[in-house]
Amino acid sequence: MAGSESSSKLRTIMAFIALLFALLSTGHCSSQVPLVMWSSEGYTLPPMASPAAGHIISNDQLVSYLNSALGSAPHNVLLFLQDKLSKDDFTRYGGVFGNNHESAFPNLESALQSSSSPLVLPALSWLGASAVPGLLQEKLGVSPLSVDPDTLAHLRLNASDNTLLLIILPYSTGAYLSCKEVLRSNDEVIGKVLSIMKAQGVPYTAIYTGLKPSRVIEEPSMVGQSSMGRSLLQAVVDEVKPPLMFNTTSGPCIMLWAQNLNVSFNNLEWIDLGPLTFAPGGSVSTAESFCNETNSRLVLDYGSSVPTYNLFRLIFSMSQRRYPVSARNWFTLDTVELLFNADTAIYNGSRGIYAPAEYSFHCQNVNNFRNALLVPRTQNATQWRILFTDFQIQGFSILNRTTDFSYASDCAGFFTPGIWMGLITSLLMLLILTYGMHMIMQLRSMDRFDDPKGPSISVPQSE
């Protein structure tokens, strides 16, 4: 009986979330992120009136509610801040129709079920969501502490002290990770953190939100202001960020771009360095980079911006030389180095990452674990996993006053497996046809016939 009531309550909560998301999806979605807030067992959050359809919670409304909520809720605050999050992630991958075994949020759903008064805001202003860490810091009077489950397990928290724990959750998909797998991995992190807090017996208030929406949709009126009548909603393509450029006194020298720069240590969570590298005002420095006619070295210094590392650098070393066989200069990406704390992991890239000196190099996936283009050189390099998605780099022959790469030499060979299969099959069919035509041409018909009214035909044995 208790199990059926628990399951019914869970379905009711998720159905309520889905209903709110569906009602609010009629408004402008281009700058909305959801926010979910709950407290540990035994504590109740103050009620908040359900927002009207199409209403977006503003920054002032969020500040007002946090002031009232933190007055009675525990002051040990867990802020799960995901890089990207949209209400579509819940409606598409959550168990809103009772399919809990297929849900990507089992731990989040369990936490909402155990909480007596969870708060769900499907449409929160993007600016309001990005300001949540600052609002909590101002309200609690403490600086946020970035932790992960392993670090949190060694901390001893005091229920009477104000604490703001920041857990960064990635949202990066690629060739080997689907969106659902990333969300399920983040949910496992949430489950581990909540289990640690429960084991220590520390009451908490938890908030789960995103820095920016993962899916951006505009209304038809925003696509074309002069169009009238009905039209289908159209997904707006995110603006492509410009490449990272290292400039010297003579102009641009090195260019780098990637959709994601993912690194992982000992098969732990992926850390995406892309937002720190290519976002406007990113925290990466290229001051130690250099380039000349034969060598280029791009040093991406992240300082202490990468969680759990006091020093983190990503270094690309390139060189070019002339090959008499091709009668032209070629450049190679000789090494990729990961400098973390006091250790350095080095990978060879020259065997698979090369292009004519006038071109740039592009590859959809550059990694060190599957069809690897980066080969470990040092012993500790095997502890890291590297995955660069939509990777493009150019270290030589860059035109002045340009932000565009030269023609790209792609890592995909001209003869793909599909092309080879087609060529071999066609060749086999051609051989069969040739053999058949040859056999047909060897057939001979009778050229002499016996006349019953004339003498018999004598055929010499020599014929």
Side-chain angles (χ1 to χ4, degrees), residues 157-178:
L157 303 177
N158 191 340
S160 61
D161 295 337
N162 294 350
T163 307
L164 177 57
L165 301 180
L166 179 62
I167 301 95
I168 301 296
L169 302 176
Y171 190 93
S172 58
T173 59
Y176 309 110
L177 286 177
S178 64

Side-chain angles (χ1 to χ4, degrees), residues 34 37 146 158 168 221 236 248 253 270 277 296 302 315 435 453:
M37 184 175 180
S146 180
N158 191 340
I168 301 296
S221 58
V236 177
T248 62
C253 183
W270 287 102
T277 307
S296 293
Y302 299 95
I315 304 174
Y435 177 77
K453 295 182 180 182

Side-chain angles (χ1 to χ4, degrees), residues 446-461:
M446 295 181 60
D447 55 353
R448 297 181 182 181
F449 301 93
D450 192 10
D451 187 1
K453 295 182 180 182
S456 300
I457 297 176
S458 177
V459 180
Q461 293 296 327

